[in-house]
Amino acid sequence: MKKRIILIAFVMILVMLFAACSGKKETAKASKIKIMVSHVGPPGCARDVGSHKIGEVLEKKFPGKFELQVYPSGQLGSQREQIEGMQQGAFQISVNPTAYVGGVVPVITMIGSPFWLPENYDKLQELYKTPEVKALFDTTIPFGFYTFNLYHDGYCHYTAKKPLNVPGDVKGLKVRVMASPILMFQAETLGATPITMNWGETYSALQTGVIDGQDNPITNTYDMKLHEVLTHFTLTYHTTVEEAVYVNKKFFDDLSAEYKQGLLEAIEEGRLVANATTLRLTGEAIADMKSKGIVFIELNPQQRQVWIDALAPVRDFARNNFPSFNGAKIFDDITAAVARISK
């Protein structure tokens, strides 16, 4: 033990001497503002492209002032662990679905309510810029982090190893869901058994029969190669998966006004390239999966209305289940904004 203490002391002295001899070059390097960005998607996915864009824009705006590193593929832990790490300041930004904040700020999961948001992509993006949605974002601030933007992963569809033509076809299935009260209640409303698990475990769970299906955007499903263990996609467009950009509050508050504005602009630039990547990759994924024999079930308006009616209790749940966050008012305000935008 004594030798170990001496060795540690010796190493510390060497580090101090090296730092003292490094001169102005190292001092300048150390003055850079470091930003670590975490997500669970693979390199090259939409959220990854958007995350890297943040660094590119910051470097262009403030040359040499920021050092941004992106950690994809869950390198910094599961989605839940990444949210906790960002919240506690272990790193600065987490780009993850709103569902994974459910354990901390459950009201924000209402953004995943089925058949509630605009079906049109452009209207959806317009909605996300409204003060009504900002009020929902702001519910995370008392918990130590800001929600500054949403990177679009695409509209969600039900997938399984059999056709899901009507809501009743989901009954009795075991389905993977994110840890969101909205999504768990949604599965239960359809008569399914919701099973929460890390995204990286979904492939093997489908392969071995631990679960029978899941719902996700096409790009997410394709990125994880779930089409290798699924056969049917029902194109319900019932909700979306949005990768929220969560920023540690203390980190952001400590920035100068100029840097704050620059970071917000960089995050917005990231949204633009992330969303464009999602739209491109969705088309490419559909074409490839069709060539491999995956069946895509398209619903006519009457068939889709059956799904809308079946999931009405979930929208009621989203409105009424978060009274401590003034959830009913937030829900009603966003509903009014959807109506206003959709005219």
Side-chain angles (χ1 to χ4, degrees), residues 121-334:
Y121 166 79
D122 292 328
K123 297 292 185 183
L124 181 69
Q125 297 307 306
E126 185 179 349
L127 174 70
Y128 290 156
K129 298 300 180 183
T130 63
E132 291 86 353
V133 171
K134 184 179 184 302
L136 177 61
F137 289 172
D138 287 349
T139 59
T140 67
I141 296 175
F143 296 88
F145 57 99
Y146 293 102
T147 303
F148 279 138
N149 220 319
L150 298 176
Y151 291 0
H152 185 61
D153 268 355
Y155 285 88
C156 289
H157 311 286
Y158 283 99
T159 63
K161 300 178 182 179
K162 70 169 190 175
L164 302 176
N165 295 302
V166 296
D169 292 334
V170 183
K171 187 175 182 179
L173 297 184
K174 295 169 292 183
V175 297
R176 182 263 178 185
V177 299
M178 293 183 283
S180 156
I182 301 292
L183 300 182
M184 294 185 73
F185 186 72
Q186 176 176 286
E188 293 168 353
T189 300
L190 293 172
T193 300
I195 298 177
T196 60
M197 62 178 60
N198 289 334
W199 184 223
E201 300 171 1
T202 308
Y203 184 102
S204 61
L206 285 165
Q207 188 177 42
T208 59
V210 172
I211 58 173
D212 305 303
Q214 58 99 44
D215 71 306
N216 249 302
I218 286 170
T219 52
N220 288 8
T221 303
Y222 184 77
D223 282 344
M224 294 299 288
K225 302 186 184 300
L226 300 188
H227 56 285
E228 296 177 354
V229 286
L230 292 166
T231 58
H232 288 75
F233 281 65
T234 302
L235 301 179
T236 50
Y237 295 88
H238 56 281
T239 187
T240 67
V241 168
E242 306 296 350
E243 303 289 338
V245 182
Y246 303 113
V247 180
N248 176 268
K249 185 178 185 298
K250 184 179 186 308
F251 164 76
F252 186 80
D253 289 347
D254 286 345
L255 295 176
S256 68
E258 182 183 18
Y259 286 170
K260 286 177 182 175
Q261 183 60 33
L263 179 56
L264 291 175
E265 292 173 1
I267 290 172
E268 171 62 12
E269 289 292 322
R271 181 188 71 85
L272 295 176
V273 298
N275 289 13
T277 301
T278 289
L279 297 178
R280 174 178 60 82
L281 292 179
T282 297
E284 294 175 1
I286 291 173
D288 187 59
M289 287 191 285
K290 283 184 175 180
S291 74
K292 291 178 168 61
I294 301 300
V295 178
F296 287 83
I297 301 169
E298 297 191 31
L299 303 176
N300 62 39
Q302 293 76 26
Q303 292 171 321
R304 192 166 184 268
Q305 188 63 47
V306 174
W307 286 86
I308 293 172
D309 293 342
L311 291 172
V314 184
R315 296 188 291 279
D316 292 338
F317 177 89
R319 181 188 184 277
N320 300 317
N321 203 50
F322 309 110
S324 61
F325 291 90
N326 205 13
K329 183 179 187 307
I330 293 175
F331 189 94
D332 290 345
D333 288 347
I334 293 177

Side-chain angles (χ1 to χ4, degrees), residues 20-87:
C21 296
S22 295
K24 294 181 179 179
K25 182 177 179 180
E26 288 301 315
T27 301
K29 184 177 180 180
S31 68
K32 285 187 176 183
I33 299 172
K34 293 185 178 181
I35 300 178
M36 298 168 64
V37 183
S38 71
H39 66 80
V40 300
C45 72
R47 76 193 82 169
D48 189 62
V49 172
S51 298
H52 281 284
K53 187 66 175 180
I54 295 173
E56 293 173 13
V57 174
L58 287 175
E59 179 60 26
K60 184 175 181 180
K61 288 179 176 293
F62 312 108
K65 298 298 183 182
F66 285 86
E67 180 182 337
L68 184 140
Q69 296 177 327
V70 179
Y71 295 84
S73 305
Q75 293 179 29
L76 300 183
S78 66
Q79 290 101 325
R80 179 183 59 80
E81 291 167 337
Q82 290 183 33
I83 296 298
E84 290 174 353
M86 174 278 307
Q87 184 184 18

